[in-house]
Amino acid sequence: MVFKCVSERTTNTEPDLLMNAVNVWNTRPHIINRKLAGAKILGKYHYLTPPDFEVTISNLRNLTLANVANESELKRSFAENHDLPLVECLSDRCEQCEKIRLDLKCLILRNQSKNPKTYEIVVTDNTVSRVLFCELSSSSLGVCSAYYISFENDAVRLFIDSECSSEGNQKWLMDVLLPKVIKWADNQEFFRTNANLNASLRLVSIDTYSELYNVLKEKYGRGIVKIWPEVTDPLKFVYEDVAIATYLLILWSAQGKFQKFIDLGCGNGLLVHILNSEGHDGQGIDIRSRKIWNLYPKTTKLKAEAITPSDNTLYPEADWLIGNHSDELTPWIPVMAARSSHKCKFFLLPCCAYEFNGKKYQRKNSAKSLYSDYMDYIKFVCDSCGFVTESDKLRIPSTKRCCFVSQGRSYPDTEHVNKCIQIQSFVDRECGKTRVQSDEELSSPKKSKWSAEFVPRDKEERVKNCTKVDKAVVSNIIAVIVEELLSRQFSRVDKELNLWEPDYGVEISMLAKLIPREDLVKLKSECGGLQTLLRNNQDIFQMENGKVFFRKPQVRKKNENWKRKPCWFFYNHPASCALADEDCSFAH
């Protein structure tokens, strides 16, 4: 290995922060390298005597571990082939490893079918602020076979093995990796909010997850995307459910048998479809059916039914209750699981924040975000119901990806009846009142509601996208906006005035003041407000930086919607349309 310095940057960063940043790249490389799903440390070693860096590199050069069959053989081969004074460390906290350590790790690829596993050795020397990365496999991930990052005299330097690295690899390391590491080191907030938090997929094997996800993606995902009949984005919702199914299947594989489950608030039902198809016996329940339900086979068990937490919504036969974005049922999932049976566990992925009474959650800790505070509250509910609960982060296309997984109970089966009584008392306190049963409930305990205030959502989803707003109201609002924009355009007397220059925009806040209040109230009651109306009329308006403009007519490619809609500018704008009839996608 012949190393040369290819990049040097000065920084005011403390050495410890830089080493922490490099360690993030070492343990969580998928954050930067999108080819990777993660990394798994196979062995951690410390040196009996302080190593000479050049000797270490020389010994690593002689390692031939590229064709090993499995990870156990890799560790054995490493122990037999290296000539370094190393001892494997089995402790999480080792003073010697804090100084100088060697990590033997496996890089997990997102698509393992296209690439073999890749192994890497990382030598971290905190005494001189230097980290060496040496790839052992013959298949490169497009990074570099060997390189190291050092910090000395307020300068961060990148050294690359010039004999084995391509120009493209060097460029990636210099232009992507090094700036990212320095940015992390300079940003202490990053370490407060990210570096010290739990990594994703802690409760499952990353390589098993990556392999199974790719299998399920091909088996279910691509086909469902092609036939997706819902208005939602299939690339988000389909692959999100594939990822959640992958996670659950790995968790359940440790149980040694197929699991019985109930998915409460199952939505599009894809998660239920995958779990049923993979052999698990379960059912999905939601307030209303979806179009996609009709496309699943009969083996996929789905039911449209309102769920009101009560003695009627117990599932003693279920091994698991699933709450995947279950909205107002979210705080009830641990309660229902706890009261169903002592064996019943749960998987809970909170999203929208609701309380036990079905109303929006009121933040209790103003120092935290609503989401963080709500997650703390749900953990409190889980603990109060007697569960031993783990939290984890999923790898899904969503900002709200933290989940809770039941790992059993904190009390024995013999105390189950008494615990159920305590749980109901807890729910009563959380609802803010002592529950008073009606005569019907007293005569038929099986119909007893657990919260008198909880009301399930309407079966028919109310559409709030301006389509239900009175057309006269919409026309009045559009007329106000058009009048204001035209007054701006024709206020100048320049004979060569370009009506389509972006100088005549009007702030949305100003438009809101010009529109009659009664029209805004009607608009707000049926949609998100003025911006939703503007988005629904994109053939007329466009929004940019908080301002509204006329949308400049543009030449577009012909498609199935060509000339189907009249050109607003041709019929309404004083300057007509800026395009000729043959160029405009709207009808003149």
Side-chain angles (χ1 to χ4, degrees):
M1 297 181 186
V2 179
F3 287 91
K4 66 175 183 179
C5 180
V6 295
S7 182
E8 178 176 335
R9 304 193 181 197
T10 58
T11 178
N12 295 323
T13 302
E14 294 294 327
D16 290 345
L17 291 177
L18 178 71
M19 297 300 285
N20 286 340
V22 177
N23 189 56
V24 174
W25 162 243
N26 179 27
T27 57
R28 299 160 69 179
H30 59 280
I31 297 177
I32 305 179
N33 191 339
R34 303 304 296 173
K35 294 182 181 180
L36 298 175
K40 180 168 63 174
I41 303 296
L42 304 178
K44 185 173 69 171
Y45 304 82
H46 62 252
Y47 288 83
L48 294 176
T49 58
D52 181 273
F53 193 67
E54 298 298 330
V55 174
T56 299
I57 293 175
S58 176
N59 284 318
L60 292 179
R61 183 195 300 135
N62 298 323
L63 286 175
T64 55
L65 308 178
N67 299 316
V68 293
N70 53 53
E71 293 169 2
S72 298
E73 184 179 335
L74 174 73
K75 291 189 66 175
R76 181 187 59 79
S77 179
F78 174 73
E80 293 176 353
N81 284 282
H82 76 73
D83 188 21
L84 299 171
L86 294 173
V87 173
E88 183 172 6
C89 182
L90 303 178
S91 173
D92 292 333
R93 295 184 178 181
C94 174
E95 292 184 2
Q96 288 175 286
C97 284
E98 290 298 321
K99 297 178 181 177
I100 307 174
R101 77 172 188 274
L102 182 147
D103 294 329
L104 178 63
K105 70 179 186 181
C106 174
L107 299 177
I108 311 299
L109 293 101
R110 287 186 180 273
N111 193 338
Q112 297 182 24
S113 62
K114 294 183 179 180
N115 298 281
K117 285 188 176 180
T118 299
Y119 299 100
E120 186 177 56
I121 284 179
V122 181
V123 180
T124 303
D125 190 343
N126 287 300
T127 62
V128 292
S129 301
R130 182 165 48 191
V131 185
L132 168 70
F133 295 84
C134 181
E135 190 175 304
L136 301 179
S137 305
S138 57
S139 173
S140 174
L141 287 177
V143 177
C144 189
S145 60
Y147 61 95
Y148 69 87
I149 299 173
S150 70
F151 180 85
E152 186 178 359
N153 299 327
D154 297 329
V156 180
R157 296 181 177 88
L158 172 66
F159 292 82
I160 295 179
D161 179 9
S162 57
E163 294 182 345
C164 302
S165 60
S166 67
E167 183 178 346
N169 292 340
Q170 290 188 28
K171 182 174 177 59
W172 189 90
L173 287 167
M174 292 187 295
D175 297 344
V176 178
L177 176 62
L178 191 62
K180 181 68 72 172
V181 168
I182 294 174
K183 181 179 179 180
W184 286 346
D186 289 339
N187 184 6
Q188 297 187 30
E189 182 65 23
F190 171 82
F191 289 102
R192 284 196 295 268
T193 58
N194 291 282
N196 294 324
L197 295 180
N198 293 326
S200 59
L201 304 181
R202 292 187 306 108
L203 303 182
V204 299
S205 169
I206 295 179
D207 52 344
T208 302
Y209 174 90
S210 180
E211 183 177 356
L212 181 58
Y213 175 79
N214 284 310
V215 170
L216 297 182
K217 183 178 179 180
E218 293 294 330
K219 190 174 181 180
Y220 302 103
R222 299 191 189 281
I224 294 293
V225 166
K226 292 180 181 179
I227 63 172
W228 189 252
E230 309 293 337
V231 297
T232 52
D233 180 9
L235 295 179
K236 177 186 186 300
F237 289 91
V238 170
Y239 293 121
E240 179 172 317
D241 282 347
V242 170
I244 296 172
T246 304
Y247 188 84
L248 287 173
L249 288 171
I250 297 174
L251 277 181
W252 293 355
S253 65
Q255 305 297 320
K257 62 184 182 70
F258 290 119
Q259 300 292 290
K260 295 182 178 181
F261 69 91
I262 301 292
D263 187 349
L264 300 171
C266 63
N268 60 55
L270 179 56
L271 178 59
V272 177
H273 170 62
I274 297 175
L275 296 177
N276 284 162
S277 300
E278 293 299 310
H280 296 277
D281 182 17
Q283 183 181 49
I285 305 174
D286 203 283
I287 189 68
R288 62 183 179 279
S289 63
R290 308 295 199 275
K291 296 176 183 178
I292 188 71
W293 286 19
N294 297 323
L295 303 180
Y296 296 134
K298 293 182 178 180
T299 52
T300 300
K301 302 175 183 178
L302 300 167
K303 181 169 67 173
E305 179 181 271
I307 303 173
T308 300
S310 67
D311 291 345
N312 276 348
T313 54
L314 295 178
Y315 307 95
E317 76 286 353
D319 297 307
W320 289 80
L321 294 189
I322 298 174
N324 173 20
H325 293 81
S326 46
D327 293 343
E328 67 270 15
L329 288 176
T330 296
W332 287 105
I333 300 295
V335 176
M336 296 166 76
R339 297 194 60 176
S340 290
S341 69
H342 187 267
K343 71 171 184 177
C344 188
K345 301 178 182 180
F346 66 85
F347 168 85
L348 187 58
L349 180 59
C351 181
C352 301
Y354 286 88
E355 301 202 28
F356 280 106
N357 57 13
K359 298 179 181 179
K360 290 289 187 178
Y361 176 75
Q362 299 298 314
R363 185 165 48 177
K364 295 174 172 56
N365 185 353
S366 59
K368 293 187 174 183
S369 67
L370 175 63
Y371 177 68
S372 297
D373 187 53
Y374 187 61
M375 295 298 290
D376 290 343
Y377 176 70
I378 295 300
K379 180 62 166 63
F380 167 69
V381 173
C382 297
D383 294 342
S384 300
C385 290
F387 285 101
V388 177
T389 310
E390 289 274 5
S391 61
D392 203 352
K393 286 184 180 179
L394 303 180
R395 292 188 183 176
I396 57 177
S398 174
T399 56
K400 298 176 181 178
R401 56 193 183 97
C402 295
C403 68
F404 294 105
V405 179
S406 163
Q407 299 282 30
R409 305 296 177 90
S410 60
Y411 60 92
D413 191 10
T414 54
E415 297 180 11
H416 183 64
V417 175
N418 290 334
K419 186 63 178 180
C420 287
I421 296 174
Q422 296 174 13
I423 292 172
Q424 184 58 60
S425 298
F426 164 73
V427 171
D428 290 341
R429 290 194 302 271
E430 289 302 303
C431 290
K433 60 189 296 185
T434 301
R435 186 169 59 96
V436 179
Q437 294 180 341
S438 65
D439 293 339
E440 181 184 4
E441 288 179 317
L442 291 171
S443 62
S444 180
K446 283 293 182 182
K447 295 183 180 180
S448 175
K449 289 176 61 176
W450 295 343
S451 172
E453 295 182 325
F454 181 89
V455 177
R457 63 178 57 186
D458 295 333
K459 186 173 182 179
E460 296 295 328
E461 185 178 20
R462 188 180 181 188
V463 179
K464 289 192 171 186
N465 59 1
C466 280
T467 58
K468 302 298 183 181
V469 180
D470 187 278
K471 291 184 178 180
V473 174
V474 175
S475 297
N476 291 339
I477 294 175
I478 291 178
V480 171
I481 300 173
V482 168
E483 182 180 357
E484 182 63 23
L485 287 174
L486 288 176
S487 68
R488 299 276 181 117
Q489 283 189 327
F490 289 99
S491 62
R492 292 175 57 181
V493 294
D494 187 348
K495 294 181 179 180
E496 297 182 359
L497 175 66
N498 183 352
L499 296 178
W500 309 113
E501 286 183 356
D503 298 333
Y504 306 100
V506 182
E507 292 81 0
I508 295 178
S509 58
M510 178 174 292
L511 291 175
K513 296 178 182 179
L514 298 175
I515 297 170
R517 180 171 177 79
E518 58 271 19
D519 287 347
L520 282 178
V521 171
K522 293 176 182 178
L523 186 66
K524 191 70 175 178
S525 66
E526 293 293 341
C527 72
L530 182 57
Q531 293 191 47
T532 303
L533 183 143
L534 292 167
R535 281 193 292 267
N536 287 354
N537 292 273
Q538 292 187 32
D539 58 319
I540 307 174
F541 309 110
Q542 69 181 32
M543 292 182 290
E544 185 178 342
N545 298 326
K547 288 187 175 183
V548 180
F549 305 85
F550 279 129
R551 180 171 294 279
K552 181 179 179 180
Q554 295 179 345
V555 177
R556 303 182 186 278
K557 293 182 179 180
K558 292 185 178 181
N559 55 32
E560 65 275 9
N561 296 319
W562 186 263
K563 299 291 187 182
R564 285 191 176 184
K565 189 174 181 180
C567 177
W568 184 90
F569 293 100
F570 181 80
Y571 290 101
N572 298 279
H573 198 282
S576 188
C577 180
L579 301 177
D581 180 44
E582 61 270 18
D583 294 329
C584 184
S585 59
F586 297 97
H588 284 191

